[in-house]
Amino acid sequence: MATGEDLRRMALSLEGTTEAPHFDRMAFKVARIYVTLAADERTANFKFTPDEQQFKCMMLPDAFSPVPNAWGRQGWTTADLARLGAEDLENALRTAVAHAQPRKPLRR
């Protein structure tokens, strides 16, 4: 059973991650936001690709669900932290942070 503190600790241990307010949530980002934590620290929204989202929701349907709007169609996925183990949370964070890395400059 994961908690908001677990998410915060694990996210901030990932290289380059910072934490800052984002509307009514806390956001964790490198170059871009990859996860947000609800104010009550019970749920988090992760940035996955649509394929990753589908896989997570299939494998752990009690824990993961698409955000119910256009953000969800882009891969943003809500997790009920209490339904995640530490390994599942760490895997979700590592998957999401991969999408938040700085983009490489174009070669000329």
Side-chain angles (χ1 to χ4, degrees):
M1 181 166 110
T3 66
E5 275 307 308
D6 293 330
L7 182 141
R8 179 174 279 110
R9 178 179 41 77
M10 289 180 185
L12 292 174
S13 75
L14 298 172
E15 186 176 345
T17 295
T18 59
E19 177 182 11
H22 182 71
F23 300 100
D24 62 336
R25 305 174 74 83
M26 291 303 293
F28 298 85
K29 71 180 208 170
V30 180
R32 288 174 293 287
I33 294 171
Y34 65 91
V35 65
T36 62
L37 179 63
D40 66 7
E41 298 194 358
R42 293 181 182 177
T43 63
N45 292 337
F46 291 85
K47 175 58 175 138
F48 298 139
T49 65
D51 287 343
E52 292 165 343
Q53 176 191 73
Q54 183 179 14
F55 181 76
K56 295 282 188 194
C57 293
M58 179 185 68
M59 294 303 294
L60 293 169
D62 292 339
F64 290 106
S65 60
V67 170
N69 57 30
W71 290 102
R73 290 189 296 277
Q74 295 176 31
W76 281 94
T77 306
T78 299
D80 181 339
L81 295 176
R83 296 181 179 270
L84 291 178
E87 187 176 330
D88 296 320
L89 176 58
E90 182 177 0
N91 182 278
L93 286 167
R94 290 192 181 281
T95 300
V97 76
H99 305 297
Q101 300 302 317
R103 291 188 175 111
K104 294 180 183 176
L106 296 174
R107 286 190 184 175
R108 291 182 187 226

